[in-house]
Amino acid sequence: MVATAQANETMKAIVQEGYGSADALRLREIERPVLAEGRVLVRVRAASVNALDWHTLHGGLVIRAISSLMRQQDIPVRGVDLAGVVEAVGPGVTRFAKGDEVFGGAPAAFAEYALAREESLVLKPRNASFEQAAAVGVAGRTALQGLRDVAQVKPGQRVLVNGAGGGVGTFAVQIAKALGAHVTAVTSTRNLEMVRSLEPDELVDYTKEDFARRGERYDAIFDVAANRSFSDLRRVLAPNGIVVLAGADKRGGIAIFTRIASAFVRSRVLKQRIVFFIAKASLDDLVVLKELIEAGKVCPAVDRTYSLSEGVEAVRYVGTGQARAKVVITID
């Protein structure tokens, strides 16, 4: 039997009221989403914060243009990654039933309830907590698609992950290993132990050693940190190698656009490819990530958790650039 949600029921959510800083976010009581055909109402147990949440909050013409290209709806509640329990299913939904534990993507995830497309959700990995499952979405897909599809990493190849301590970086180290690559992880001193637990083949502390001067060459460089020049990256790239840009310039705005444009131009004139990409929503890839987690090849790393009432501070923390791995908002 198909369950239905009642109109006019309310819930707590983190609502964006303007642009500029985390001060534009407020915990509000708003209307609960109402079911529609092909939709699943999820009682959110955890939702992860992504860099896009912070950049969207800051606004600016460049970020708004990127959001438009990604066809992001103008929803005042932030968040796109979640894990939770199916509360109700709409007409036409066949893969889920009330009570199923799920993870995946949905707009307006920083809330007690979220409405997701059926094809945006997968049953939660048996061996993952709600917090870990919520961390997968954007970060996991970015690492998987960037390494498997864009870089086309093969067993035995040498891969360097620059920014291995971040949300995408922690997934990238593990996924590159799962693809059979020899992985060098670059991170800061404060992240060393956490990244070491992911078992890269080599670990570089960039505060003490410059990977661009090590004399090693890599078949693929997965650049999440966006803190090195293209000349530095090309210096350690194999002749037929590829640089995959998976991170945005921390200065935001025009700096992001300039780096993307520069990568586009260089990829047209150089033998060594430099590619910027944005991960796509994919049910099949969520299934792949679930299988990797259940096989013990990937373990989502979580830096800090915040309650929904502390959600503003969670977004603020991600904006400092000091967050390690993933930051997750939990909802009881």
Side-chain angles (χ1 to χ4, degrees):
M1 178 177 179
V2 175
T4 58
Q6 299 297 314
N8 301 320
E9 290 187 274
T10 63
M11 66 177 185
K12 292 183 175 63
I14 302 294
V15 177
Q16 181 174 335
E17 301 175 347
Y19 293 91
S21 73
D23 293 333
L25 297 175
R26 298 285 190 276
L27 181 65
R28 298 296 193 201
E29 191 85 17
I30 64 173
E31 286 192 7
R32 211 168 100 175
V34 179
L35 273 177
E37 185 172 356
R39 299 298 194 271
V40 179
L41 183 67
V42 179
R43 183 167 69 86
V44 182
R45 293 289 302 277
S48 67
V49 183
N50 290 293
L52 181 61
D53 297 312
W54 173 257
H55 288 302
T56 303
L57 178 63
H58 265 63
L61 293 177
V62 175
I63 297 303
R64 295 186 198 186
I66 291 175
S67 297
S68 177
L69 288 172
M70 294 174 66
R71 298 179 182 177
Q72 187 178 47
Q73 293 179 316
D74 186 15
I75 298 176
V77 178
R78 296 269 64 84
V80 295
D81 290 336
L82 58 75
V85 179
V86 173
E87 180 74 10
V89 298
V93 173
T94 60
R95 294 174 48 240
F96 302 108
K98 181 178 174 63
D100 285 343
E101 296 183 349
V102 296
F103 80 108
F110 296 168
E112 292 179 313
Y113 293 88
L115 198 62
R117 294 178 180 273
E118 180 181 17
E119 61 271 21
S120 297
L121 299 173
V122 173
L123 292 175
K124 184 175 72 67
R126 296 183 301 272
N127 56 338
S129 66
F130 283 108
E131 291 80 7
Q132 290 174 315
V136 176
V138 171
R141 288 200 313 272
T142 300
L144 178 64
Q145 294 174 15
L147 291 163
R148 182 196 61 193
D149 304 334
V150 181
Q152 298 183 357
V153 171
K154 302 294 190 299
Q157 288 189 323
R158 300 181 67 85
V159 173
L160 182 138
V161 178
N162 182 35
V168 176
T170 52
F171 280 102
V173 171
Q174 298 175 85
I175 289 172
K177 289 286 292 181
L179 292 172
H182 180 282
V183 180
T184 297
V186 181
T187 190
S188 64
T189 303
R190 68 188 294 268
N191 297 336
L192 281 179
E193 290 309 310
M194 186 267 293
V195 175
R196 182 175 286 115
S197 71
L198 306 178
E199 300 183 350
D201 297 286
E202 298 183 56
L203 184 58
V204 176
D205 180 349
Y206 71 76
T207 68
K208 298 179 179 178
E209 183 180 8
D210 184 355
F211 71 80
R213 300 184 181 281
R214 300 183 82 209
E216 298 185 26
R217 294 287 185 123
Y218 302 93
D219 300 291
I221 297 175
F222 194 75
D223 183 29
V224 188
N227 60 359
R228 300 301 296 263
S229 69
F230 290 140
S231 296
D232 286 342
L233 298 177
R234 289 182 57 227
R235 186 181 301 132
V236 294
L237 193 62
N240 294 313
I242 181 172
V243 175
V244 178
L245 305 178
D249 193 300
K250 303 303 183 290
R251 293 170 294 178
I254 297 300
I256 295 175
F257 178 79
T258 300
R259 190 169 177 84
I260 294 172
S262 180
F264 179 82
V265 171
R266 289 168 183 263
S267 67
R268 294 296 185 273
V269 300
L270 299 173
K271 188 174 182 180
Q272 295 168 309
R273 293 174 295 156
I274 302 176
V275 180
F276 174 84
F277 91 107
I278 297 175
K280 300 176 182 178
S282 168
L283 175 61
D284 290 341
D285 286 348
L286 277 179
V287 173
V288 170
L289 289 163
K290 174 189 175 182
E291 292 172 346
L292 287 170
I293 293 169
E294 291 185 334
K297 295 182 179 180
V298 169
C299 180
V302 176
D303 176 8
R304 295 184 186 180
T305 61
Y306 293 80
S307 66
L308 184 61
S309 63
E310 300 169 325
V312 175
E313 291 308 311
V315 177
R316 196 190 309 278
Y317 177 52
V318 169
T320 66
Q322 299 301 308
R324 295 177 288 188
K326 293 293 293 182
V327 174
V328 175
I329 296 171
T330 61
I331 299 99
D332 294 328

